[in-house]
Amino acid sequence: MGDFGAFTRAALAFPAVCFTFALLVVAVYWLLVLVGGAGVDILDGGEGVDGGFAGATGLPVTVTLSLGVLIAWAVSLAGAALTESPPLRAAALALALLTAWAGTRVAVRLARRLLPPERVASRNDFVGRVCVIRTGRVSSDFGQAEVRADDGSTAVIQVRTEETGLTAGSSALIFDYDADGEFFRVAPFDAALDPYGPAA
């Protein structure tokens, strides 16, 4: 009981108290993640900015924040337990912040080396796929179609063609993307030959 009491006093003493309640918030958050009540990318969608507490590509911001808080709390707790001198405790706070910043940067760099890079979706991914025409006609300056992505979701895209015969419900092959006009060039296609299946 004595050891636990000493631990509690240190956790609630300066400088550890600066991070103790933040650590409790982090613990509650990860508990919610475990029971399915929150997502790991709740703050940022999975990406952040290089360096320190803000997160970085390869680690979600929530993971980086949690790691930074944990490191800062551990270092400041040691400072609170080892000394009662206000100047030394203030130095421990500065050391805790510096250590947390350095620790998260190291974790980010390790994640970049060990984790596969996340592939960014591109409109060019649709080139070579078959789409389903959704407008009554498609011409050189008008038309929309629906195409299915790798994850099963569908997207409505702008399409253009120099050929005739493409009407609502017909299938077309996407063979090019015009970045300037932000539309796809399509041609009539037999839906039975589509390896991805129809978008409908």
Side-chain angles (χ1 to χ4, degrees):
M1 185 66 180
D3 290 340
F4 182 76
F7 171 83
T8 302
R9 287 193 297 273
L12 296 178
F14 179 82
V17 69
C18 297
F19 304 103
T20 295
F21 294 104
L23 185 64
L24 290 176
V25 172
V26 167
V28 170
Y29 167 74
W30 287 109
L31 180 62
L32 290 175
V33 170
L34 289 176
V35 299
V40 174
D41 57 350
I42 191 171
L43 294 181
D44 65 321
E47 279 189 48
V49 180
D50 186 15
F53 295 95
T57 302
L59 283 179
V61 163
T62 46
V63 174
T64 311
L65 278 172
S66 300
L67 180 61
V69 169
L70 179 60
I71 294 173
W73 177 81
V75 174
S76 61
L77 179 67
L82 293 175
T83 181
E84 294 185 359
S85 167
L88 290 178
R89 287 191 171 186
L93 175 61
L95 179 62
L97 292 172
L98 180 62
T99 305
W101 177 81
T104 53
R105 285 185 63 88
V106 170
V108 163
R109 292 184 179 181
L110 287 175
R112 285 180 172 175
R113 291 181 180 180
L114 300 177
L115 299 178
E118 182 179 358
R119 185 177 180 277
V120 179
S122 167
R123 292 184 180 181
N124 288 322
D125 293 343
F126 289 140
V127 175
R129 292 184 178 270
V130 173
C131 60
V132 177
I133 304 303
R134 293 307 185 201
T135 50
R137 64 179 178 86
V138 179
S139 65
S140 60
D141 58 3
F142 175 81
Q144 287 187 336
E146 188 174 3
V147 62
R148 188 180 300 279
D150 284 333
D151 60 4
S153 63
T154 58
V156 176
I157 58 175
Q158 300 295 319
V159 294
R160 304 289 185 265
T161 186
E162 300 296 333
E163 303 185 40
T164 59
L166 286 177
T167 57
S170 58
S171 298
L173 175 66
I174 303 171
F175 65 86
D176 190 23
Y177 175 67
D178 188 309
D180 294 331
E182 296 187 341
F183 61 80
F184 294 88
R185 299 186 186 278
V186 297
F189 186 78
D190 184 352
L193 301 177
D194 181 14
Y196 300 102

